[in-house]
Amino acid sequence: MADLSTTLPLTPSSIHEAYSKIQTHVHKTPLLTNKTINQIASTSSSADTTGPSPKFNLYFKCENYQRIGAFKARGAFHAVTHLIDELGVEEMRRRGVVTHSSGNHAQALALAASSFNIPAHIVMPSISTPSKIAGTRSYTPHIYFSGSTSDEREAVVKEVIEETGAVLVPPYDHPDIMLGQGTTALELHQQYDKLKTSKDEKPNLKVVLAPLGGGGLLSGISIYFSDKSTYVIGCEPSFQGGNDGEMGFKASPQKRVEKVKTLTIADGLRTPVGEIPWKVFTSGSNTKSRNLENIYSVDEEQIKGAMKLVLERMKVFIEPSAAVPLAVVLYNQEFRRWAYEKQREEGEEIWDIAVVFSGGNTTIEAIVGLFGDSSHGVDGREERAEGKVGLDGERVAENVAG
């Protein structure tokens, strides 16, 4: 990986600099709104009829329309361009890059490397979904399969490095990745301000919610908003301890959870929070006592409910991981109570909040498996599509990096 001494500081200005480097390589994804979902989110019937009813206008940042179908392209291009700046493109073409990933970072790094004719060596856990394996193969032939534990994945990565001299580009736990992902927030904020001013309305973005897996995206967003009043919220699946970030963040004292083992349908979030993102979350700035306001989680049925709403009402194709933040808005009573009390405390009738749809890398087969008639059962192909069964038929996942 790039030497930490050569990386930009983790500041909002560095995210602007990162954006200037990758802007020509990534898509400017749309910021969408939906009145129906606003109404649903602003009534107690969206969750518990006895619960609080905060009022929201939602803005959806659609990274499912990003290259390779996920925000990961931003961090990958920033990491690769930095390596080229430091080592030179010819040296990078000689050595190549390597990573371990369940799919989205795998595809993103393979794409970014191929754009500069740099070899990409990708280690993928056998639990990775077939669609993500196929997507990665479209950019590189160098794919290696491993078990899903961190030790198994890292052992294969070590072998690749020894054989090729490839430079490791981690999925999330590195400043280059974090700053690249943070350009999502920069772009979102610019689009939101432009939309509000075009309507002669004062911009006042109160909250941004994003999924939390390893923390590359959420830490980048937290860095960008660290000098602004906007609250940043992390969102996780609760199934089988997938809410490691929430548990560690709400512990006293706070402590990062280092191991995660979950088969949540939000397969991009099956990994523990990285060390550097964790430091960003728990640190503060001149504007905020801590960069990340809080972390909330939702169960599998709530994720499916939010995903179904997006598919049917917005006609937008997202993967389960991307639905997690909207599920928090709709169903998590702790978040809704916090928002309701904050609105009353600040004397505001309604909040503008943004939800990041992190990606859309799923398949019709996987969706059928999630929403199909349970009386017909679930066959092996559907479970493979959902990333619940590995290539070897095993049903285990641990520390699977997105």
Side-chain angles (χ1 to χ4, degrees):
M1 65 184 74
D3 191 319
L4 293 179
S5 66
T6 69
T7 60
L8 295 169
L10 297 176
T11 62
S13 61
S14 294
I15 289 177
H16 283 269
E17 190 169 340
Y19 193 54
S20 69
K21 292 185 67 174
I22 70 170
Q23 193 170 2
T24 59
H25 299 292
V26 298
H27 293 327
K28 184 176 183 179
T29 57
L31 188 69
L32 302 182
T33 59
N34 186 277
K35 288 185 178 180
T36 300
I37 296 181
N38 286 346
Q39 293 170 353
I40 294 172
S42 299
T43 60
S44 58
S45 60
S46 67
D48 181 347
T49 56
T50 64
S53 298
K55 307 299 180 186
F56 300 127
N57 285 321
L58 285 94
Y59 297 82
F60 299 96
K61 181 59 172 168
C62 295
E63 286 295 287
N64 53 304
Y65 295 130
Q66 187 52 263
R67 296 185 71 180
I68 69 92
F71 72 93
K72 295 277 189 176
R74 297 175 182 271
F77 270 104
H78 187 238
V80 169
T81 53
H82 183 203
L83 286 170
I84 291 173
D85 289 345
E86 291 301 310
L87 302 177
V89 68
E90 292 305 322
E91 176 67 3
M92 288 308 303
R93 286 171 180 165
R94 183 183 71 81
R95 297 176 61 179
V97 292
V98 63
T99 198
H100 51 83
S101 165
S102 64
N104 283 348
H105 178 64
Q107 294 175 81
L109 183 62
L111 166 65
S114 69
S115 299
F116 299 98
N117 295 318
I118 295 171
H121 303 272
I122 311 297
V123 176
M124 302 188 75
S126 67
I127 203 76
S128 303
T129 61
S131 60
K132 292 179 179 179
I133 294 172
T136 306
R137 284 196 194 282
S138 67
Y139 298 112
T140 179
H142 308 297
I143 297 179
Y144 315 79
F145 291 103
S146 72
S148 58
T149 67
S150 56
D151 290 342
E152 289 170 316
R153 290 185 287 106
E154 290 166 8
V156 178
V157 168
K158 183 180 179 181
E159 290 176 4
V160 172
I161 292 173
E162 290 174 351
E163 291 177 8
T164 67
V167 179
L168 175 64
V169 179
Y172 48 82
D173 203 5
H174 192 277
D176 285 343
I177 297 293
M178 296 157 62
L179 293 172
Q181 318 302 28
T183 64
T184 305
L186 167 62
E187 204 172 85
L188 181 164
H189 202 203
Q190 291 176 341
Q191 291 169 306
Y192 166 78
D193 283 354
K194 184 176 181 180
L195 182 62
K196 295 293 284 189
T197 54
S198 69
K199 298 179 179 180
D200 294 324
E201 298 174 358
K202 183 180 178 181
N204 185 23
L205 185 61
K206 296 298 295 188
V207 183
V208 175
L209 299 98
L212 173 58
L217 173 64
L218 188 64
S219 62
I221 292 172
S222 298
I223 292 165
Y224 175 78
F225 284 106
S226 63
D227 63 349
K228 303 167 185 65
S229 61
T230 303
Y231 300 111
V232 179
I233 300 292
C235 306
E236 290 183 306
S238 60
F239 185 65
Q240 295 179 335
N243 57 331
D244 61 290
E246 179 183 35
M247 291 187 288
F249 197 76
K250 293 178 179 176
S252 182
Q254 292 178 329
K255 181 177 175 61
R256 184 176 73 93
V257 176
E258 298 181 5
K259 297 287 185 180
V260 177
K261 188 173 182 179
T262 175
L263 281 171
T264 174
I265 59 173
D267 65 297
L269 309 182
R270 295 174 180 171
T271 184
V273 178
E275 292 184 21
I276 304 176
W278 182 258
K279 290 177 183 176
V280 169
F281 298 152
T282 55
S283 299
S285 65
N286 293 333
T287 304
K288 298 175 177 177
S289 59
R290 61 188 185 196
N291 296 321
L292 186 66
E293 178 63 22
N294 216 329
I295 303 172
Y296 302 97
S297 63
V298 285
D299 63 34
E300 303 292 272
E301 289 303 312
Q302 291 168 338
I303 296 170
K304 287 164 63 175
M307 187 176 177
K308 185 173 186 287
L309 190 64
V310 172
L311 292 170
E312 293 181 348
R313 301 301 180 97
M314 294 185 69
K315 321 304 178 191
V316 171
F317 195 82
I318 61 172
E319 62 187 274
S321 298
V324 172
L326 178 58
V328 167
V329 173
L330 296 175
Y331 305 119
N332 186 286
Q333 289 302 295
E334 186 182 354
F335 166 76
R336 291 177 65 81
R337 188 173 299 107
W338 169 81
Y340 177 75
E341 292 174 355
K342 279 287 185 182
Q343 286 179 0
R344 295 184 66 184
E345 176 186 317
E346 298 175 5
E348 295 176 314
E349 188 173 317
I350 190 166
W351 273 1
D352 287 352
I353 68 174
V355 166
V356 178
F357 286 158
S358 53
N361 286 323
T362 188
T363 64
I364 295 298
E365 289 79 11
I367 292 174
V368 168
L370 292 174
F371 296 105
D373 184 350
S374 60
S375 65
H376 293 156
V378 180
D379 66 24
R381 287 176 301 173
E382 289 170 349
E383 290 199 313
R384 271 294 295 135
E386 294 173 40
K388 292 183 178 179
V389 176
L391 293 171
D392 55 4
E394 293 295 315
R395 297 173 58 89
V396 294
E398 182 179 1
N399 295 343
V400 179

